[in-house]
């Protein structure tokens, strides 16, 4: 009966009209420019709606007062001067009285800053990065546009103090090359601690002379120069920026530098903003395998006018030597030796009297030593921490030698481990305070509470002898602690992705709560439709290690429908990237009907050493075996999660991984957008790539190369690059393009004139949306070229 009815209807309306009738629902659901604008504006819609959200507590030195910022409602007309994206104010809190007040007159300070900075500044958007309050509360210091600034809070006058890096003149001055410069002449002379001598470099050699007499600006004619070295030359020079006097003024230690290869990247900016013709520039940019500068420490006996020989057997092939530091009693100096390849790391001590070098501490690894400093951020942290106690009698040191990041106490005289201070299958994430008198360490760690997300950071204290481990934070959340100078109080700011930030004041002695300083109000945020992402975890490739991620559901979610999935990937081994703290950030693609996820697979940071080691010589892995299992586990739980339609996008290392998904896992990932990808690790910056891919450069680089594996491409690929990218060499993307063309592969390419790293801006985001709408939703995109200029401009935005 139904078939006859359909045939009858078909005869009456005709085949063409019947087809139109069938397609009518799909056509009605086609995405419009307005849908795109809503998606592109989604971040801005929620920004600033979380009120009284506290951040950045800074204790005022020597007091029980601290200053913090908190978000406030934006003024009706924000106008010019929005240096910060979210309106905020600064509050001063007294831990003794529990009283709070504005930290200063915001309106007067905004007026003073407007005059000093020569840009309009509004009271709700004060650009006070790294704010530091003077003890008397009469002045502040802060950073703005690569410079130190200060403001007097009595007369409200602001002035620039210095550039952000005042010592840059000692180095080559390039973003990626920190080779100390060869600087000749006495203009940079360094005076000995006793004030009797000056040391400088002349004709590439170390020279000393008597310091000027009292009242003289320069030494008199009697001040004969004494040349201490004879082997300096233009290609093997002594660097004045590294020279350090011993505290007793009897010795000088300095690095002699043999320069390495000075690799240049060449840029052509096709469309400069201030001229018609293209503009050419270069940048120094060492890459994996390049010959590096060779730094060698040299020791001079000032009284004997002679060099004391140092055997370099303990530091023959440095990737980097740290700054020279003398012990206060002048018995010796130390430096840290990071061997090329990052598998040997030593703290070296050189005896002042004999020049004998010995290794106080030595770390070795069959994979890599994560030599960057240990800092309390999930996104970019190393594992190195060193705290010298009692002029080197003892040293607190961090190491992953037992498979987890922990603290050790060394005897500074013998170089032996006295005590492993912390231990267990959990990770020290930062050292917040060391109380030498009480012999206690206050530190942050994650993974100790078995029933919690192992990335949640908690605060602890422990004795130097490894006893008395005490947790200072009780709420299951991600915590950040800040201690008063005398250690009597600490501020605990905590949150989760589903718990808005809370700031509390605690007494350190017993971790008791003194007061709740601030609680975030997200009433307006919730009313605007914001929802937090959903955390999800499941076993990874080994069947037991839990892999954590988050799920952003579509904006108008309907559990009866099936939704394509897009993964937002960044798998750089320097950090972990799934959000753990509260944020109003959302994924714009959710407004167009996509599920968006973030996952931390193996190879990323902040878990066990074995978890991290997966990245070694193997950046192409990017945790994909874990990620795919995670996706499948979500799909098994939620029928609406469609893993037959999975896309992926990322920038930088995420750009490498997103393209790699189509090369190495095309059976799962179907569509990718790769922005500013470091597609071949031989083409990228030396420090990041040799850290994870190793040295010498071997076949592992080719195995992980998107360039060398471009022939494998399956699925749909959009490449995005900025022609002026100063982070990743733009040629990295173009070499991929070259190989794809030679392999007769289809792909799309967006080159952004003048664009930097992550180029594209609103236009690039719109192109990303178009690409996933066309290839995952399988729907037509708006005919952008037919749209009037006003709407087209709104969708594309201005700038890059």
């Amino acid at each position: 009966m139904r078939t006859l009815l359909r045939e009858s209807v078909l005869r009456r309306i005709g085949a063409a009209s019947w087809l139109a009738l069938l397609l009518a629902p799909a056509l009605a659901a086609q995405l419009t420019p307005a849908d795109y604008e809503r998606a592109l504006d989604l971040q801005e819609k929620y920004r600033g709606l979380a009120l009284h959200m506290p951040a950045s507590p800074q204790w005022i030195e020597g007091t029980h007062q601290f200053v913090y910022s908190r978000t406030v409602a934006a003024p009706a007309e924000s106008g010019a001067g929005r240096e910060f994206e979210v309106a905020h104010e600064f509050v001063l809190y007294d831990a003794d009285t529990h009283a709070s007040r504005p930290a200063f007159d915001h309106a007067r300070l905004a007026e003073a800053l407007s005059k000093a900075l020569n840009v309009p500044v509004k009271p709700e958007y004060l650009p006070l990065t790294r704010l530091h309050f003077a003890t008397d509360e009469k002045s502040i210091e802060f950073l703005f546009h690569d410079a130190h600034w200060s403001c007097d809070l009595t007369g409200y006058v602001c002035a620039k103090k210095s550039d952000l890096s005042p010592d840059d003149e000692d180095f080559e001055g390039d973003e990626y090359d920190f080779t100390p410069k060869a600087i000749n002449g006495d203009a940079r002379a360094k005076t000995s601690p006793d004030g009797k001598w000056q040391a400088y470099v002349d004709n590439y050699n170390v020279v000393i002379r008597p310091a000027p007499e009292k009242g003289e600006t320069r030494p008199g004619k009697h001040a004969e120069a004494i040349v201490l070295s004879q082997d300096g030359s233009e290609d093997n020079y002594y660097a004045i920026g590294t020279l350090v006097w011993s505290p007793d003024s009897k010795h000088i230690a300095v690095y002699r530098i043999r320069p390495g290869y000075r690799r240049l990247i060449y840029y052509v900016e096709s469309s400069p903003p201030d001229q018609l013709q293209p503009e050419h520039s270069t940048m120094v940019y060492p890459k994996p395998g390049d010959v590096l500068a060779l730094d060698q420490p040299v020791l001079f006996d000032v009284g004997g006018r002679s060099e004391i020989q140092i055997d370099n057997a303990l530091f023959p092939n440095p990737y980097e030597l740290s700054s020279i530091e003398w012990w206060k009693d002048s018995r010796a100096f130390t430096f840290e030796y990071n061997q090329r390849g990052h598998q040997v790391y030593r703290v070296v001590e050189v005896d002042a009297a004999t020049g004998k070098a010995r290794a106080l501490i030595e770390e070795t690894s069959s994979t890599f030593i994560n030599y960057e400093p240990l800092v309390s951020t999930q996104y970019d942290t190393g594992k190195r921490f060193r705290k010298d106690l009692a002029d080197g009698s003892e040293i607190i040191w961090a190491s992953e030698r037992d498979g987890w990041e922990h603290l050790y106490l060394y005897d500074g005289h013998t170089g032996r481990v006295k005590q492993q201070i912390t231990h267990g299958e959990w990770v020290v994430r930062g050292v917040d305070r060391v109380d030498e008198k009480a012999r206690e360490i206050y530190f942050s760690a994650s993974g100790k509470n078995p029933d919690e997300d192992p990335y949640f950071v908690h605060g602890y204290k422990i004795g130097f002898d490894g006893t008395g481990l005490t947790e200072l934070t009780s709420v299951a959340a991600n915590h950040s602690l800040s201690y008063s100078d005398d250690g009597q109080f600490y501020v605990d700011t905590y949150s989760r992705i589903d718990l808005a930030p809370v700031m509390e004041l605690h007494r350190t002695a017993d971790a008791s709560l003194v007061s709740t300083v601030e609680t975030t109000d997200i009433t307006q945020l919730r009313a605007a439709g914001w929802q937090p992402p959903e955390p999800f975890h499941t076993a990874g490739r080994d069947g037991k290690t839990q892999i954590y991620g988050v799920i952003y559901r579509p904006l108008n979610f309907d559990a009866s429908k099936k939704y394509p999935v897009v993964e937002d990937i960044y798998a750089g081994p320097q950090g972990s990237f799934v959000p753990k703290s509260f944020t109003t950030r959302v994924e714009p693609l959710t407004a167009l009907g996509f599920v968006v996820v973030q996952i931390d697979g193996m190879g990323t940071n902040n878990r066990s050493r074995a978890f991290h080691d997966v990245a070694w010589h193997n950046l192409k892995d990017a945790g994909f075996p874990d990620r795919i299992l995670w996706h499948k586990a979500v799909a098994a739980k939620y029928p609406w999660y469609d893993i037959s339609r999975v896309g992926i996008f990322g920038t930088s290392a995420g750009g490498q991984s997103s393209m790699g998904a189509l090369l190495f896992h095309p059976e799962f990932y179907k569509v990718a957008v790769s922005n500013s990808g470091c597609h071949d690790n031989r083409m990228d910056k030396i420090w990041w790539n040799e850290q994870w891919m190793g040295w010498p450069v071997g076949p592992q680089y080719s195995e992980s190369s998107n360039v060398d594996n471009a022939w494998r491409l399956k699925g749909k690929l959009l490449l995005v690059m900025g022609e002026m990218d100063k982070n990743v060499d733009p040629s990295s993307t173009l070499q991929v393009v070259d190989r794809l063309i030679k392999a007769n592969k289809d792909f799309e390419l967006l080159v952004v004139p003048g664009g930097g790293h992550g180029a594209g801006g609103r236009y690039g985001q719109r192109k990303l949306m178009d690409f996933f709408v066309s290839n995952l939703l399988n729907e037509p995109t708006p005919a952008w070229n037919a749209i009037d200029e006003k709407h087209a401009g709104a969708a594309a935005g201005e700038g890059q």
Side-chain angles (χ1 to χ4, degrees):
M1 182 68 181
R2 289 177 182 174
T3 301
L4 291 174
L5 179 60
R6 194 178 78 172
E7 289 177 351
S8 174
V9 173
L10 182 59
R11 282 194 298 270
R12 281 201 300 267
I13 65 176
S17 297
W18 177 256
L19 180 62
L21 184 63
L22 289 175
L23 292 177
L27 292 174
Q30 179 179 339
L31 293 168
T32 68
D35 294 321
Y36 276 72
E37 288 186 37
R38 278 191 291 273
L40 291 167
D41 290 338
L42 199 57
Q43 302 278 20
E44 186 62 31
K45 176 183 178 181
Y46 298 139
R47 184 176 291 123
L49 294 184
L51 301 180
H52 292 179
M53 186 161 69
S56 307
Q58 299 290 330
W59 288 91
I60 299 176
E61 185 177 355
T63 75
H64 285 167
Q65 296 180 319
F66 62 92
V67 177
Y68 67 96
S69 67
R70 68 178 182 183
T71 57
V72 295
E77 295 183 5
S78 58
R82 286 191 61 175
E83 177 66 24
F84 277 45
E85 292 183 334
V86 177
H88 60 280
E89 65 183 4
F90 293 89
V91 179
L92 187 147
Y93 191 94
D94 191 306
D96 292 322
T97 66
H98 311 166
S100 65
R101 61 176 175 82
F104 35 68
D105 187 322
H106 288 63
R108 291 187 68 188
L109 185 57
E111 183 180 1
L113 286 170
S114 297
K115 293 178 181 177
L117 303 176
N118 199 29
V119 294
V121 176
K122 290 215 167 233
E124 301 84 7
Y125 301 100
L126 295 174
L128 306 181
T129 303
R130 296 190 190 176
L131 175 65
H132 175 75
F133 247 81
T135 304
D136 60 7
E137 302 176 30
K138 293 181 179 179
S139 65
I140 59 172
E141 295 183 4
F142 61 96
L143 300 183
F144 179 79
H145 285 190
D146 298 327
H148 291 275
W149 291 78
S150 65
C151 293
D152 170 40
L153 296 181
T154 54
Y156 282 88
V157 177
C158 300
K160 180 179 176 180
K161 289 187 65 179
S162 64
D163 291 328
L164 182 58
S165 301
D167 294 327
D168 276 354
E169 59 188 342
D170 289 335
F171 299 90
E172 289 299 330
D174 297 298
E175 186 175 354
Y176 296 98
D177 185 5
F178 297 100
T179 304
K181 284 183 179 179
I183 301 176
N184 289 303
D186 61 2
R188 300 296 310 282
K190 294 188 175 182
T191 304
S192 60
D194 64 8
K196 295 179 179 180
W197 293 95
Q198 286 187 328
Y200 58 98
V201 173
D202 188 46
N203 196 27
Y204 308 104
N205 282 293
V206 176
V207 177
I208 61 171
R209 69 183 180 198
E213 298 287 346
K214 187 175 182 180
E216 293 181 330
T217 57
R218 293 179 61 82
K221 294 181 179 180
H222 66 283
E224 181 181 352
I226 302 167
V227 180
L228 293 183
S229 67
Q230 302 291 337
D231 55 351
S233 64
E234 189 173 5
D235 61 356
N236 197 28
Y237 56 85
Y238 290 87
I240 186 63
T242 70
L243 186 147
V244 185
W245 282 92
S246 62
D248 64 7
S249 303
K250 294 180 179 179
H251 295 89
I252 289 172
V254 62
Y255 285 132
R256 187 177 60 238
I257 312 293
R258 188 182 71 198
Y261 175 58
R262 192 174 170 83
R263 181 181 294 280
L264 296 177
I265 293 182
Y266 296 86
Y267 293 89
V268 175
E269 186 171 5
S270 63
S271 310
D274 55 354
Q275 66 185 52
L276 175 63
Q277 298 301 324
E279 191 170 51
H280 167 258
S281 61
T282 62
M283 181 177 72
V284 177
Y285 190 93
K287 295 183 178 182
D290 284 354
V291 175
L292 295 178
L294 178 63
D295 301 4
Q296 292 291 286
V298 182
L299 176 63
F300 294 103
D301 177 359
V302 175
R305 313 293 196 262
S306 61
E307 177 184 343
I308 300 174
Q309 293 296 319
I310 304 173
D311 185 351
N312 71 348
L314 289 174
F315 43 91
N317 184 26
Y319 173 81
E320 181 182 38
L321 300 182
S322 69
S323 299
I324 292 167
E325 296 182 10
W326 283 93
W327 296 125
K328 295 177 183 178
D329 66 4
S330 299
R331 68 184 185 275
F333 66 87
T334 68
F335 60 89
E336 296 179 15
Y337 167 66
N338 181 6
Q339 185 163 291
R340 186 118 190 227
H342 309 303
Q343 293 179 309
V344 176
Y345 197 97
R346 296 187 179 108
V347 178
V348 178
E349 181 187 73
V350 178
D351 185 89
T354 65
K356 183 179 179 180
R358 64 172 181 143
L360 283 180
I361 299 173
E362 179 173 284
E363 292 287 337
T364 60
S365 173
S366 60
T367 55
F368 60 84
I369 294 167
N370 193 357
Y371 63 88
E372 292 291 311
L374 176 67
V375 293
S376 299
T377 173
Q378 73 173 76
Y379 302 106
D380 188 2
T381 179
K383 304 296 183 180
R384 176 175 57 83
F385 176 82
R386 171 186 166 191
K387 173 71 173 178
D388 298 331
L389 307 170
D391 199 27
S393 294
E394 293 179 310
I395 301 172
I396 298 172
W397 181 255
S399 171
E400 292 184 288
R401 63 188 59 175
D402 73 349
W404 303 83
E405 176 77 340
H406 282 300
L407 300 176
Y408 295 77
L409 183 66
Y410 270 81
D411 185 314
H413 297 296
T414 67
R416 295 177 181 173
V417 175
K418 296 177 68 173
Q419 179 73 47
Q420 181 172 350
I421 301 171
T422 62
H423 55 85
E425 294 187 355
W426 45 276
V427 180
V428 171
R429 297 283 294 274
V431 176
D432 301 316
R433 182 172 181 269
V434 176
D435 187 336
E436 294 188 47
K437 184 177 181 180
R439 296 183 67 79
E440 290 181 327
I441 303 170
Y442 295 81
F443 67 97
S444 301
S446 60
K448 193 172 187 311
N449 299 333
D451 297 329
E452 285 186 16
D453 184 323
Y455 294 93
F456 282 172
V457 174
H458 284 270
Y460 299 87
K461 70 174 179 178
I462 194 170
F464 286 8
D465 61 359
T467 64
L469 178 63
T470 305
E471 185 173 351
L472 303 175
T473 49
S474 58
V475 178
N478 209 31
H479 295 257
S480 175
L481 277 63
S482 176
Y483 294 84
S484 62
D485 272 6
D486 61 8
Q488 290 190 35
F489 297 97
Y490 63 89
V491 176
D492 176 16
T493 308
Y494 62 87
S495 70
R496 297 188 305 264
I497 55 175
D498 62 345
L499 174 66
V502 176
M503 179 179 281
E504 295 177 344
L505 177 68
H506 289 255
R507 188 167 283 105
T508 308
D510 57 4
S512 60
L513 176 66
V514 176
S515 64
T516 299
V517 178
E518 205 73 68
T519 302
T520 305
D521 179 1
I522 59 171
T523 304
Q524 293 185 33
L525 184 64
R526 288 283 194 183
W530 175 89
Q531 292 291 329
E534 175 186 347
F536 185 87
H537 64 91
T538 191
R541 71 186 78 181
D542 62 2
K544 57 181 181 180
T545 302
Q546 293 296 297
I547 304 300
Y548 285 74
V550 292
I551 305 167
Y552 297 84
R553 297 189 183 196
L555 210 57
N556 298 312
F557 177 71
D558 182 346
S560 67
K561 296 181 178 180
K562 291 186 78 69
Y563 294 96
V565 178
V566 178
E567 182 177 341
D568 179 352
I569 188 171
Y570 190 90
Q574 74 271 23
S576 56
F577 304 96
V578 173
K580 300 300 171 183
S581 296
F582 182 86
T583 174
T584 61
R585 177 186 177 274
V586 291
E587 292 280 359
L589 281 169
T590 58
L592 299 182
F594 294 91
V595 176
V596 182
V597 303
Q598 289 179 271
I599 309 163
D600 280 324
M602 291 189 187
T604 50
N605 205 342
N606 299 319
R607 299 285 290 275
S608 71
R609 185 54 206 254
F611 192 101
H612 206 185
D613 274 346
V614 170
W616 175 241
H617 280 196
N618 192 25
L619 285 178
K620 77 175 187 297
D621 180 279
F624 279 122
D626 312 300
R627 295 170 186 275
I628 292 170
L629 288 170
W630 189 94
H631 283 289
K632 290 179 177 179
V634 178
K637 181 178 181 180
Y638 296 127
W640 45 264
Y641 194 91
D642 187 359
I643 56 172
S644 71
R645 294 181 291 165
V646 179
I648 188 169
F649 71 92
T651 297
S652 195
Q656 177 182 9
S657 298
S658 56
M659 180 178 176
L662 300 188
L663 302 183
F664 305 113
H665 302 279
E667 77 289 346
F668 191 81
Y669 295 94
K670 308 303 181 185
V671 184
V673 178
S674 168
N675 192 317
S676 308
C678 39
H679 295 289
D680 189 312
N681 300 107
R682 294 166 293 193
M683 288 289 293
D684 198 30
K685 63 197 77 68
I686 187 172
W687 72 265
W688 196 88
N689 294 274
E690 285 194 6
Q691 167 73 92
W692 318 118
M693 293 297 289
W695 178 89
V697 173
Q700 72 272 16
Y701 280 82
S702 178
E703 291 165 5
S704 284
S705 169
N706 289 351
V707 177
D708 289 352
N709 289 282
W711 61 273
R712 299 177 183 272
L713 179 66
K714 294 182 180 179
K716 305 289 186 177
L717 173 65
L718 168 61
L719 296 167
V720 183
M721 61 168 284
E723 67 176 2
M724 297 301 293
D725 191 338
K726 298 297 181 70
N727 185 318
V728 172
D729 186 343
S731 294
S732 185
T733 295
L734 293 176
Q735 289 183 1
V736 166
V737 169
D738 176 61
R739 293 294 184 89
L740 290 172
I741 291 172
K742 289 175 178 175
N744 198 31
K745 296 292 184 176
D746 283 335
F747 63 97
E748 292 189 24
L749 173 66
L750 171 61
V751 179
V752 182
H757 196 58
R762 195 176 174 92
Y763 178 81
Q765 182 68 17
R766 194 267 284 173
K767 292 291 286 183
L768 177 147
M769 292 175 172
D770 274 347
F771 202 66
F772 286 122
V773 167
S774 295
N775 296 297
L776 280 185
L777 282 181
N778 298 314
E779 292 185 9
T781 61
W784 296 106
N785 289 358
I787 299 173
D788 65 78
E789 184 178 346
K790 178 181 178 181
H791 287 94
E798 295 185 6
Q800 296 161 351

